Amino acid sequence: MGKLTQMVAVVTGASRGLGEAMATGFAREGAAVVLAARTVADLDRVAERCRDAGAAQVEVIPTDVTDEDQLTALVDATIGRLGRLDVFVANAGIAVPSITDRRMTTLETYELGVVQRLFAVNTVGMWLSMKAALPVMPVGGSFIAIGSELGRMAGAGAGVYAVTKAGVDLLVRIAAAESAERGVRVNCLSPGGMVDTHLFGPNKMPDYLKAHAPWSTAEVIVPAAVWLASHDSEGVTGKRLAGTEFNRIPLDEFRAGLQNA
């Protein structure tokens, strides 16, 4: 029996990177997984990985998180096919290099279209995911918003991407408070630092960013994601977690730190 046996988990942005890693991790723990992203071929590849990992069931539902009707359809299809929705991981997100080749390093160098796209996916897409999923999740359900440490470290060069992720933190706090009476948990989880995934497009993280620090792989986020999805994290809501911290601190100390945060 895995930690997520008899649970149904939806993962957006599941076609690669962090989404693929979390979906496969949930599958290993016995969950039925619903994979959502825009690229069907990539979703089909991840679906095979999830089946091989032991998923109770795998569904592929192409979804654009900036489209409210598509998110509503994702949730409706999940409940229609699998009967429930226990875990929703709002992972879909973009960074500047994935939508333009021009490097935008300060606020005045951003183009309006890029800013609008960043907010549409990272912040509005998060809100739309909450709007679609939270009302139908059962007592004990877990909504996991994937954030970024940049949203908490304002400074020169953090850019509009950091602003969109700071918005995710605020959405989590508000949604957690509003969902508490219904027994649904809402938390923000980050990898604990940027990772080399397709968030930056097919060429992955730009070399100029890689030069500044060591980076983790997508798998760093999986243990914390499984814990948040499971009943082991009962009572934890409205919190910000980093995957790297979860991996290096004993669980009782980690939980105590969350309660004091």
Side-chain angles (χ1 to χ4, degrees):
M1 295 286 287
K3 291 179 180 287
L4 306 181
T5 298
Q6 298 184 338
M7 289 189 181
V8 175
V10 171
V11 182
T12 68
S15 60
R16 55 177 67 95
L18 296 175
E20 178 178 354
M22 287 184 286
T24 307
F26 292 164
R28 285 195 295 265
E29 294 294 338
V33 293
V34 179
L35 308 175
R38 293 180 299 169
T39 309
V40 176
D42 288 337
L43 288 175
D44 288 340
R45 177 185 57 79
V46 177
E48 285 304 309
R49 282 198 65 195
C50 289
R51 293 185 185 100
D52 291 342
Q57 187 171 337
V58 181
E59 298 287 341
V60 168
I61 304 178
T63 306
D64 181 343
V65 299
T66 67
D67 187 316
E68 183 172 8
D69 290 340
Q70 290 190 39
L71 275 168
T72 299
L74 169 63
V75 169
D76 289 347
T78 297
I79 294 174
R81 299 180 194 181
L82 298 170
R84 57 190 296 120
L85 171 52
D86 301 289
V87 181
F88 192 104
V89 183
N91 167 69
I94 58 171
V96 169
S98 66
I99 51 179
T100 178
D101 291 332
R102 177 181 175 184
R103 187 179 303 177
M104 299 183 186
T105 56
T106 59
L107 292 178
E108 66 267 22
T109 61
Y110 276 80
E111 297 170 357
L112 177 59
V114 170
V115 171
Q116 290 172 328
R117 181 64 177 161
L118 284 166
F119 273 99
V121 177
N122 296 351
T123 311
V124 177
M126 183 65 67
W127 165 67
L128 287 173
S129 296
M130 291 175 171
K131 183 179 180 181
L134 288 173
V136 302
M137 296 179 74
V139 172
S142 176
F143 187 102
I144 304 171
I146 302 304
S148 170
E149 297 301 295
L150 278 178
R152 301 155 204 169
M153 299 185 298
V160 175
Y161 173 81
V163 179
T164 66
K165 288 301 187 177
V168 169
D169 284 349
L170 287 173
L171 283 169
V172 164
R173 290 167 58 189
I174 295 167
E178 294 177 350
S179 301
E181 287 189 4
R182 294 188 290 107
V184 177
R185 294 170 287 130
V186 185
N187 291 285
C188 183
L189 173 62
S190 77
M194 298 305 298
V195 294
D196 196 0
T197 73
H198 278 70
L199 176 70
F200 290 95
N203 295 321
K204 299 190 177 182
M205 183 180 287
D207 288 339
Y208 77 90
L209 285 179
K210 288 183 181 180
H212 294 294
W215 305 104
S216 302
T217 66
E219 293 295 328
V220 72
I221 205 170
V222 175
V226 169
W227 183 70
L228 281 177
S230 75
H231 295 305
D232 291 346
S233 58
E234 181 178 353
V236 176
T237 191
K239 301 299 183 180
R240 301 184 303 185
L241 298 76
T244 49
E245 273 189 48
F246 184 90
N247 295 341
R248 68 180 178 81
I249 300 174
L251 184 54
D252 56 346
E253 293 182 24
F254 184 84
R255 183 187 274 273
L258 284 178
Q259 297 306 321
N260 294 329

